[in-house]
Amino acid sequence: MSLQVVTPSHAPDFPSFARLHRSVIEHTDPMVRHIVAVPDRDVPLFRSVDTGRLDVIGYRAVLPRRFVSTIPLARIPGLPRGFRINAVNATRPWPPIRGWMLQQLVKLAVVSTLEADVALLIDSDVLIVRPLVESTFRDKAGVVRLYRSPHGITPAMTRHLAWQAAARALLGTSKVEPDSPDYISAFASWDPELVRASTSRVAETTSRDWRDVIGSRLDFSEFIFYGTYVMTLADARYRTNTQQRSLCHSHWDPTPLDLEHADRFLDRLHPDDVAVHIQSNSLTDENVLRHIAERMRSGS
């Protein structure tokens, strides 16, 4: 039985990641490794975190050589301004691979290589505030906890609906979950064995490398992909530990927190929550983030 923490990150998130890593060290058993996957240019920066429990993995270590970095180009003329390109598949250069898409590919690739029983995926803008133990994420039968929010996707959530459709297409299944669940979380546990099974399914249904297939998608969510596989194609025994709470108290609002609102946010922390999440897009000031970390460390 074993637990490993996996975080995708990059240089702009380094201060937040360093804070997250300190909280992982503080709240996990010394045997727990923290794996961070970053663009290759950022590897030296993240390796400067010298705790003895951090494994830094560059993208090239888990992606095929045919995935060629285009980071110096930043963007390709003719594409929408917000369409940030990070790589091109040399064997099928169109469409190019966006940075957000590449990060999801890397996340699946890293977890698929793990021999651990539980992979805990944690974003850089999360802070662990209570002990993390493997038993929290596995039931007595050994089934890994799956965050699943029934009716979490409404007809108005067009991007989420596109991600649902993409997951079904990639997995080659027509099964539609009637309660339209959402699986997306900044803090989620996956079973590496099921990640391997889900990506193998893509390869079987398309007769292509799953990384090429998923990398060519414009619409994709790794969390919805994994959850859809578990709930529609995996053995039924893997569906016995679905939970509606993520165990992470999140601030998803793009409005930044000030000190007063940060304290109010922390006052609403559920007794079962083991982490807090302040979305980086909220642009919450660094002083407020430090205040949150210090308050949680002091237990006040």
Side-chain angles (χ1 to χ4, degrees), residues 51 70 101 106 113 134 153 158 177 189-190 205 217 234-235 241 243-244 247 251 262 265:
T51 63
T70 59
M101 192 69 240
V106 168
T113 67
E134 185 183 348
I153 298 178
T158 54
E177 297 178 76
S189 49
W190 283 358
T205 58
R217 298 291 308 193
D235 189 283
N241 192 13
Q243 305 292 335
Q244 297 185 35
L247 304 181
H251 174 74
F265 169 79

Side-chain angles (χ1 to χ4, degrees), residues 2-25:
S2 58
L3 166 72
Q4 292 196 43
V5 177
V6 177
T7 300
S9 195
H10 63 156
D13 289 343
F14 182 73
S16 295
F17 173 80
R19 189 162 40 239
L20 163 64
H21 182 64
R22 286 194 297 271
S23 72
V24 170
I25 295 296

Side-chain angles (χ1 to χ4, degrees), residues 112-248:
S112 70
T113 67
L114 299 183
E115 296 181 0
D117 297 299
V118 181
L120 189 57
L121 286 87
I122 308 179
D123 286 352
S124 290
D125 48 10
V126 170
L127 189 69
I128 308 305
V129 297
R130 289 174 179 148
L132 288 183
V133 293
E134 185 183 348
S135 58
T136 301
F137 306 99
R138 298 180 85 197
D139 62 17
K140 292 182 179 179
V143 176
V144 175
R145 187 182 199 276
L146 174 66
Y147 167 68
R148 185 179 189 274
S149 177
H151 308 290
I153 298 178
T154 68
M157 299 168 70
T158 54
R159 290 195 74 191
H160 286 67
L161 293 172
W163 295 334
Q164 281 184 331
R168 291 194 297 270
L170 288 164
L171 294 168
T173 179
S174 59
K175 295 180 181 178
V176 177
E177 297 178 76
D179 56 356
S180 198
D182 191 6
Y183 299 99
I184 298 174
S185 175
F187 182 90
S189 49
W190 283 358
D191 184 333
E193 180 181 341
L194 295 180
V195 172
R196 288 188 286 271
S198 65
T199 54
S200 293
R201 170 75 180 190
V202 174
E204 291 167 5
T205 58
T206 63
S207 298
R208 293 172 57 199
D209 189 306
W210 67 268
R211 296 166 297 185
D212 293 336
V213 177
I214 294 178
S216 68
R217 298 291 308 193
L218 298 180
D219 294 308
F220 181 75
S221 162
E222 76 279 41
F223 291 108
I224 291 178
F225 169 78
Y226 174 80
T228 299
Y229 175 80
V230 175
M231 296 304 297
T232 64
L233 293 173
D235 189 283
R237 66 189 174 93
Y238 292 113
R239 304 171 197 163
T240 58
N241 192 13
T242 61
Q243 305 292 335
Q244 297 185 35
R245 296 192 63 256
S246 71
L247 304 181
C248 181

Side-chain angles (χ1 to χ4, degrees), residues 277-289:
H277 167 227
I278 313 298
Q279 182 170 245
S280 58
N281 290 346
S282 72
L283 300 180
T284 295
D285 187 79
E286 183 67 22
N287 289 328
V288 176
L289 295 175

Side-chain angles (χ1 to χ4, degrees), residues 251 253-266 268 278 282-292 295:
H251 174 74
D253 194 310
T255 304
L257 291 174
D258 56 23
L259 289 173
E260 178 183 354
H261 287 91
D263 283 333
R264 291 181 185 176
F265 169 79
L266 293 178
R268 297 192 297 273
I278 313 298
S282 72
L283 300 180
T284 295
D285 187 79
E286 183 67 22
N287 289 328
V288 176
L289 295 175
R290 279 197 294 266
H291 168 76
I292 291 172
R295 176 176 161 182

